[in-house]
């Protein structure tokens, strides 16, 4: 709430890491590193190292800025599989979607962090998202995914970088390195501009 930088969050697990669902007040399970609206500084980085990572029914990993300063980077290194799947409806106005996100919120000034994901396999299902966007004054970060086997997006899931409707800045690049890539049932990888600025590039290397 004051001036200064948030600290780094690091999770080192030899087994599985799972964030699933919401509580009775609609709060999501997950990791958050946020520069709040009255803050000046930077949100800290998030690092997760595990065998498997599961974000389910609204589970989330998020670094964002709502104040004057930048969001932190998100680095995820998983030796086996990342599963991001599902959502939970809290009430008629609130749905919590499983996602990894770095964001500049609408009232913020600063840049979103980069998202770097390394895994053997990555699956997004049931509207899950990997999102790097700006709705304030600042640039979105890059999304880089290094996957040795398969990436599958299903049922309206998305990997995206965008400048939102009220945003002023540049979208980040999306770089996907994998062996096999499947986009199914309305799923997309996209870079777009709805505000003011330039979209980033989408680069897919599938070999």
């Amino acid at each position: 709430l004051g001036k200064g930088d948030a600290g780094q969050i690091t999770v080192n697990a030899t087994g599985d890491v799972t964030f699933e669902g919401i509580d009775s007040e609609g709060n999501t399970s997950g990791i958050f590193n946020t520069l709040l609206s009255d803050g000046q500084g930077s949100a800290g980085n998030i690092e997760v190292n595990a065998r498997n990572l599961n974000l389910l029914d609204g589970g989330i990993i998020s670094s964002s800025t709502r104040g004057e300063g930048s969001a932190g980077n998100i680095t995820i290194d998983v030796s086996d599989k990342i599963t991001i799947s599902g959502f939970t409806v809290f009430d008629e106005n609130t749905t919590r979607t499983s996602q990894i996100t770095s964001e500049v919120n609408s009232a913020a000034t600063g840049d979103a962090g980069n998202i770097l994901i390394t895994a053997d396999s990555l699956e997004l299902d049931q509207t899950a998202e990997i999102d790097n966007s700006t709705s304030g004054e600042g640039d979105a970060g890059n999304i880089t995914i290094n996957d040795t086997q398969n990436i599958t997006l299903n049922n309206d899931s998305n990997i995206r970088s965008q400048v939102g409707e009220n945003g002023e800045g540049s979208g980040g690049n999306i770089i996907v390195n994998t062996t096999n890539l499947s986009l199914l049932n309305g799923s997309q990888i996209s870079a777009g501009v709805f505000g003011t600025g330039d979209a980033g590039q989408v680069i897919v290397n599938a070999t």
Side-chain angles (χ1 to χ4, degrees):
L1 295 177
K3 296 181 179 180
D5 298 335
Q8 176 163 316
I9 298 173
T10 302
V11 177
N12 295 316
T14 57
D16 298 351
V17 173
T18 299
F19 303 123
E20 182 173 3
I22 66 175
D23 66 11
S24 60
E25 297 181 351
N27 298 308
T28 57
S29 303
I31 299 173
F32 300 85
N33 210 333
T34 305
L35 179 66
L36 298 176
S37 56
D38 294 329
Q40 296 179 356
S42 298
N45 298 325
I46 297 172
E47 182 178 344
V48 177
N49 303 293
R51 182 179 62 188
N52 296 293
L53 173 64
N54 305 298
L55 305 179
L56 308 174
D57 299 333
I60 187 172
I61 296 176
S62 171
S63 180
S64 64
T65 175
R66 303 175 185 173
E68 296 181 15
S70 297
N73 298 320
I74 298 174
T75 302
I76 298 173
D77 192 343
V78 169
S79 59
D80 194 356
K81 185 176 182 180
I82 299 173
T83 301
I84 310 172
S85 179
F87 57 89
T88 298
V89 178
F90 176 65
D91 57 33
E92 61 181 9
N93 298 315
T94 307
T95 299
R96 305 300 192 193
T97 300
S98 299
Q99 60 185 298
I100 298 171
T101 179
S102 182
E103 182 179 15
V104 180
N105 292 89
S106 58
T109 302
D111 297 331
N114 297 316
I115 298 174
L116 173 61
I117 296 172
T118 303
D120 189 59
S121 180
L122 173 64
E123 180 181 0
L124 279 69
D125 199 4
Q126 296 179 341
T127 74
E129 296 181 349
I130 298 173
D131 177 67
N132 202 325
S133 61
T134 177
S135 298
E137 295 183 14
D139 297 335
N142 298 321
I143 299 172
T144 303
I145 301 173
N146 297 313
D147 181 281
T148 57
Q149 294 294 328
N150 302 301
I151 297 176
T152 302
L153 279 64
N154 197 10
N155 294 315
D156 297 310
S157 296
N158 291 281
I159 299 172
R160 65 186 179 192
S161 178
Q162 65 181 31
V163 179
E165 183 176 353
N166 297 314
E168 296 182 13
S170 297
N173 297 322
I174 301 173
I175 302 170
V176 177
N177 301 305
T178 187
T179 303
N180 301 297
L181 173 64
S182 300
L183 305 178
L184 309 173
N185 299 312
S187 298
Q188 297 181 355
I189 299 175
S190 64
V193 175
F194 300 94
T196 302
D198 298 325
Q201 293 181 310
V202 176
I203 301 170
V204 176
N205 300 308
T207 57

